Amino acid sequence: MSMFQIKTDKEHFITATIFEAKDSHTVLVISSATGVKQSYYKRFSEFVSASGITVITFDYSGIGHSLQEAIKRNNSNAADWGRTDLEAVLKYVKIHYPTSKINLLGHSIGGQLIGLSVSALKVSKVILVAAQTGYWKFWTGFIRYRMWANWNIVFPVLINLFGYLPSKKVTGMENLPKNVAKQWCKWCMDPDYLFGDLDEKDLYYEQIATPLTSISIEDDHFAPVKNVEWLTGKYSGATVKRLHLSPQDFGMKQIGHFGVFQEKSRAKIWEILLQEIER
């Protein structure tokens, strides 16, 4: 395992980590969830690497090791994480591993952003894990109105007060640059989510014509099944396989939005993911 920096087309650097597998013919790039440092995927990456596949993780601009200035000064938005940061990583892999297949795994927003990277058109396989629309009306009951309040009141007030979203104080996740948080709020109030905000010429979802596995999780309150299926449908050019994971099927009490990559999932769920990466 070694850490290195990649320069983006916008002239900033993002920090990536490589888990090199000997004689590997496939490179797996992991695109993280919102406010999640790449280190969260370390154990899973070591597991995949030990199976003969090289893995690259990275931190988006303003997150973890890619936060290289005061977060208030970071001007990246959420779309930049896909069209600039992920794009830079995929370009790096193409240059440094020219004969390897590139597989791409996106967790939550990581799966949402794949269609913003033009280089994603060249990958061999896409795996979406709990990748969903965040539009608030897709939820029901009290949580629907709590989300409305977050996007319209709580988060905007915090952003204006701190100059960034202090997520560590609110959710325990990494703090978000102001433009990332503002755009995220905008997307989550739009029935078309990010598709209602971004220029159609910058969207590559329908053009990604590759095998794609989309995974939803029974007890995932951040990505209910219908939210996952909505986003999966945007990858209309792909050959889609759907998997739905239930804790009971694995003798587990819970999986949730983040449990797939935790150590408790090693024995059974990681093997399923590995099969999809290799398939």
Side-chain angles (χ1 to χ4, degrees):
M1 183 186 81
S2 60
M3 195 169 287
F4 60 100
Q5 291 193 320
I6 299 173
K7 190 175 184 179
T8 72
D9 291 340
K10 286 197 170 183
E11 302 296 314
H12 63 261
F13 288 88
I14 57 172
T15 302
T17 302
I18 186 165
F19 300 82
E20 193 85 54
K22 186 178 180 181
D23 299 324
S24 173
H25 299 292
T26 301
V27 177
L28 176 69
V29 174
I30 298 179
S31 191
S32 307
T34 307
V36 175
K37 295 191 288 188
Q38 61 177 312
S39 57
Y40 190 79
Y41 306 93
K42 178 176 181 288
R43 296 299 186 193
F44 175 71
S45 299
E46 291 173 338
F47 169 81
V48 175
S49 175
S51 300
I53 295 172
T54 293
V55 182
I56 292 181
T57 61
F58 67 99
D59 288 321
Y60 302 119
S61 176
I63 302 294
H65 288 287
S66 295
L67 178 59
Q68 297 163 348
E69 59 185 353
I71 193 168
K72 293 182 181 180
R73 295 174 57 191
N74 185 288
N75 291 316
S76 291
N77 61 30
D80 290 331
W81 282 0
R83 62 191 173 197
T84 301
D85 297 352
L86 175 58
E87 175 67 13
V89 174
L90 293 177
K91 283 182 176 178
Y92 174 92
V93 175
K94 188 63 178 177
I95 292 170
H96 291 84
Y97 297 86
T99 63
S100 295
K101 292 192 302 181
I102 304 174
N103 289 354
L104 183 51
L105 186 154
H107 179 207
S108 195
I109 200 173
Q112 298 170 21
L113 300 176
I114 288 172
L116 301 182
S117 169
V118 66
S119 290
L121 297 175
K122 302 292 180 65
V123 303
S124 298
K125 179 72 183 287
V126 172
I127 300 99
L128 306 178
V129 178
Q132 76 287 48
T133 174
Y135 178 50
W136 70 286
K137 283 190 176 180
F138 267 77
W139 281 265
T140 58
F142 173 75
I143 191 171
R144 169 188 281 195
Y145 299 101
R146 187 179 71 183
M147 287 190 168
W148 183 94
N150 282 342
W151 309 133
N152 289 277
I153 301 172
V154 179
F155 288 2
V157 167
L158 291 173
I159 294 166
N160 289 332
L161 184 63
F162 289 89
Y164 62 93
L165 182 62
S167 311
K168 287 182 180 180
K169 299 178 183 293
V170 179
T171 65
M173 311 307 291
E174 293 299 297
N175 296 329
L176 300 180
K178 57 183 180 296
N179 291 335
V180 170
K182 286 179 179 179
Q183 191 173 42
W184 189 29
C185 288
K186 184 178 181 180
W187 290 354
C188 290
M189 290 304 298
D190 192 322
D192 290 324
Y193 196 55
L194 64 85
F195 300 88
D197 179 43
L198 305 178
D199 196 316
E200 189 173 349
K201 68 178 177 59
D202 297 322
L203 304 177
Y204 303 101
Y205 298 84
E206 295 180 354
Q207 300 174 49
I208 295 175
T210 189
L212 181 150
T213 299
S214 174
I215 300 172
S216 53
I217 300 151
E218 181 68 29
D219 62 332
D220 186 350
H221 303 301
F222 291 101
V225 173
K226 62 181 180 180
N227 300 51
V228 171
E229 291 180 342
W230 185 93
L231 183 74
T232 303
K234 295 299 182 179
Y235 292 93
S236 57
T239 303
V240 175
K241 175 181 179 181
R242 282 282 285 114
L243 291 177
H244 186 65
L245 308 181
S246 175
Q248 293 78 13
D249 293 338
F250 302 99
M252 300 168 68
K253 292 184 178 180
Q254 61 181 21
I255 300 174
H257 194 58
F258 299 101
V260 166
F261 300 100
Q262 294 173 349
E263 186 70 28
K264 64 182 180 181
S265 296
R266 175 188 290 267
K268 297 178 181 177
I269 296 178
W270 287 6
E271 288 290 348
I272 292 174
L273 288 179
L274 182 61
Q275 290 172 16
E276 293 306 314
I277 294 165
E278 293 177 331
R279 185 173 66 91

